[in-house]
Amino acid sequence: RRTAGGDRLVVGVPAACRTVPGSERIVGYLVNTLAVSVEFTEGMRFGELIDRTSAALTAALARQELPFDEVVDALGVARHT
């Protein structure tokens, strides 16, 4: 929380995106970036942080087929190149 400078930390996590039957046999680099967001609160215990992180990662993995670019476009986030 001190390092991030806020109450929310978003980390990009690579996922294989091979959940469609038959895709596990495809050769190639099929990776999507998942945005995993965790909120911190004052006085939070480490166990609670682990629970929140686990829940956030589970939720992100459930939606891993949605391409990261589409998420960014849908949110209207400004891109800097």
Side-chain angles (χ1 to χ4, degrees), residues 56 61 67 73:
L61 287 170
D73 289 342

Side-chain angles (χ1 to χ4, degrees), residues 17-80:
C17 296
R18 295 181 186 259
T19 57
V20 177
S23 65
E24 54 279 326
R25 293 188 183 127
I26 297 174
V27 175
Y29 190 66
L30 305 174
V31 175
N32 189 21
T33 301
L34 306 178
V36 179
S37 175
V38 179
E39 289 192 39
F40 299 91
T41 56
E42 190 70 34
M44 183 190 326
R45 295 181 175 260
F46 184 72
E48 186 179 354
L49 173 62
I50 296 299
D51 291 342
R52 286 186 185 187
T53 304
S54 177
L57 183 56
T58 300
L61 287 170
R63 297 182 300 272
Q64 65 179 300
E65 292 84 13
L66 184 60
F68 183 72
D69 287 346
E70 289 183 23
V71 173
V72 173
D73 289 342
L75 293 174
V77 177
R79 295 183 182 206
H80 304 285

